């Protein structure tokens, strides 16, 4: 396989496919283990629609306390803890500070998406509970994040970038690539107030987008399918930006024997 | 900066540095937001030492129910729910099935590490709680995972690879790279029973390693410092394998103005 553009990916993968192709290739043998002791998990969790803008504002401010992943979780769970109570009130939000910087600063998965996936799968339930909505919201947030000029949300009282802010499309949900492309385009260092404001705005943007999806689900209006499914298309878990790491030398994944 | 070997990284970053250089560059302004509503989180969580082998066996079997991230969480929290009760019993373990395949199959952060980080930061507490142990366990698991021939754990009754299994070093905590290098070395496809057994063994290996670290912490014998700190060394969140994606053309991160 040569250099693969995003367009080729989308054509090849069946954009907006309703089924979870991924499941077929990667996730088989869903057997219940006798070792599973925790049977008290009930899905979905109770949900009341939230104001996306208020949620984004909370996420922006919480970033300066607990960073990206925990900020997104806190922005939604703190409001629901107030409106509904349990199980939100006792969820250990602050532990998810570890998701910052692509997990402890290693630049892997952007914490905002990592945290949003926790929220979607707690509220809508994991897909083994019978609904695929939490899974679809998560994978489509990965797609949206990769293909959107970020940040999209402008806070009421930004701590930096007050006149204007550079927006960049990462092509990837990885912190290193998302932050790195923004640093290159803006010229601001990692430790600068401008870069911090940018990441706080990204957390706010993800919280906004996630709230819109959860509200649509609550209204019975969430009808999205999985927008991009790497395993079914390429035979390996993957992002959409193969050529960016592999150049033109993209290895062929081993195939199942016929 | 040219092609950077792991050896150069380790020399440059101060292996086993006791301080969190990362914090200095990436994480400043830890102010408490007035929006934070959830004040009930208490750290650390009660912990009793677990048998690493039993824990690994649970993780191996749970992989076939909830995949890597949730399997690691379940392997530890299900035992503690039985021994201790709350807050483990009501933790929504199954929601973390979303961490599979590098989050919903996108090949980013290996779910086993993502789940292990949740465990470490719930039990030992987030670093804003006053202890950095949860953070250090997480970042050193990232380092261990990247630089170890995986899987290390052999289950009592493996579902595949019964005679032997290829072990590979990923150089990275990313699912795509970890799984891809193993697939290339073994020749087995993503959907093969052999690849599934391999990932279940990786989850078990991570659960084993994590349990050893938690037990050492419980005994007052966990004295590790952060083994690798990208932000302090390179001015950006990053992994250790720059050259693998960038080749010899590694961009310079924007610096703070003096």
């Amino acid at each position: 396989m040569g250099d693969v553009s995003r367009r080729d990916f989308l054509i090849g993968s069946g954009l907006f496919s309703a089924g979870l192709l991924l499941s077929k290739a990667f996730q088989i043998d869903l057997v219940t283990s006798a070792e599973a002791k925790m049977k008290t998990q009930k899905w979905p969790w109770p949900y009341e629609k939230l104001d996306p803008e208020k949620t984004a504002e909370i996420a922006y401010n919480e970033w300066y306390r607990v960073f990206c992943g925990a900020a997104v979780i806190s922005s939604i769970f703190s409001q629901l803890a107030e409106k509904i109570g349990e199980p939100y009130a006792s969820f250990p939000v602050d532990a998810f500070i570890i998701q910052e910087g692509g997990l402890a600063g290693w630049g892997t998965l952007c914490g905002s998406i990592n945290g949003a996936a926790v929220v979607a799968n707690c509220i809508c339930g994991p897909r083994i509970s019978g609904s695929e909505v939490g899974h679809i919201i998560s994978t489509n947030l990965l797609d949206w994040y990769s293909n959107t000029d970020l940040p999209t949300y402008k806070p009421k009282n930004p701590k930096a970038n007050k006149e204007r802010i550079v927006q960049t499309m990462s092509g990837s949900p990885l912190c290193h690539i998302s932050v790195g492309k923004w640093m290159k385009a803006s010229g601001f260092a990692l430790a600068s107030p401008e870069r911090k404001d940018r990441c706080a705005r990204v957390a706010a943007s993800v919280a906004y987008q996630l709230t819109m999806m959860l509200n649509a689900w609550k209204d019975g209006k969430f009808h999205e399918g999985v927008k991009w499914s790497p395993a079914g298309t390429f035979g390996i878990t993957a992002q959409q930006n193969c050529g960016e790491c592999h150049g033109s030398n993209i290895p062929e994944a081993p195939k199942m024997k016929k």
Side-chain angles (χ1 to χ4, degrees), chain A:
Chain A
M1 182 167 64
D3 200 355
V4 181
S5 71
R6 170 165 160 75
R7 185 180 168 78
D8 292 333
F9 272 115
L10 294 178
I11 292 167
S13 64
L15 186 63
F16 293 99
S17 112
L20 293 170
L21 287 176
L22 182 151
S23 305
K24 292 180 192 156
F26 192 65
Q27 300 153 340
I28 308 176
D29 300 335
L30 277 173
V31 297
T32 301
S33 162
E35 298 285 356
K37 300 290 193 310
M38 300 163 81
K39 297 295 183 195
T40 59
Q41 305 171 70
K42 290 175 186 167
W43 321 102
W45 284 8
Y47 180 71
E48 289 181 23
K49 284 167 66 181
L50 300 174
D51 175 19
E53 189 150 331
K54 182 180 177 189
T55 307
E57 284 292 324
I58 297 173
Y60 180 80
N61 288 306
E62 278 286 82
W63 188 94
Y64 289 87
R65 187 178 73 87
V66 286
F67 302 112
C68 44
V72 170
I73 299 174
S74 178
S75 72
I76 291 179
F77 283 8
S78 68
Q79 292 185 82
L80 295 172
E82 206 169 23
K83 287 173 186 279
I84 296 172
E86 295 297 348
Y88 299 101
S90 57
F91 188 89
V93 172
D94 289 3
F96 291 79
I97 191 174
I98 194 63
Q99 296 182 338
E100 47 80 16
L103 206 77
W106 273 59
T108 72
L109 176 61
C110 169
S112 295
I113 295 293
N114 208 356
V118 171
V119 170
N121 284 270
C122 281
I123 293 179
C124 306
R127 61 195 170 76
I128 52 170
S129 72
S131 167
E132 290 180 338
V133 171
H135 184 96
I136 296 171
I137 287 178
S138 306
T139 190
N140 289 1
L141 275 175
L142 284 157
D143 182 83
W144 172 83
Y145 181 100
S146 301
N147 299 294
T148 299
D149 288 321
L150 292 175
T152 52
Y153 186 77
K154 186 181 174 185
K156 286 176 186 159
N157 299 300
K159 294 183 196 294
N161 303 303
K162 295 186 185 190
E163 297 299 315
R164 63 181 289 276
I165 185 166
V166 175
Q167 291 172 296
T168 46
M169 191 183 295
S170 64
S172 161
L174 295 181
C175 164
H176 176 82
I177 299 179
S178 175
V179 170
K181 287 185 178 175
W182 188 87
M183 285 168 63
K184 186 171 183 181
S186 71
F188 289 116
L190 189 70
S192 67
E194 289 82 3
R195 199 281 310 166
K196 291 176 195 168
D197 167 77
R198 179 267 178 192
C199 282
R201 291 190 198 211
V202 168
S205 305
V206 169
Y208 191 102
Q209 193 70 9
L210 172 59
T211 304
M212 295 284 282
M213 294 164 108
L214 291 171
N215 289 351
W217 167 72
K218 180 71 177 175
D219 283 340
K221 293 177 180 169
F222 184 82
H223 303 302
E224 294 183 22
V226 169
K227 291 190 179 168
W228 190 71
S229 172
T233 312
F234 295 110
I236 186 168
T237 59
Q239 301 174 53
Q240 297 174 335
N241 59 340
C242 307
E244 217 171 318
C245 290
H246 286 290
S248 59
N249 182 29
I250 301 176
E252 196 76 46
K255 297 276 188 302
M256 289 294 275
K257 291 179 181 67
K258 305 281 180 185

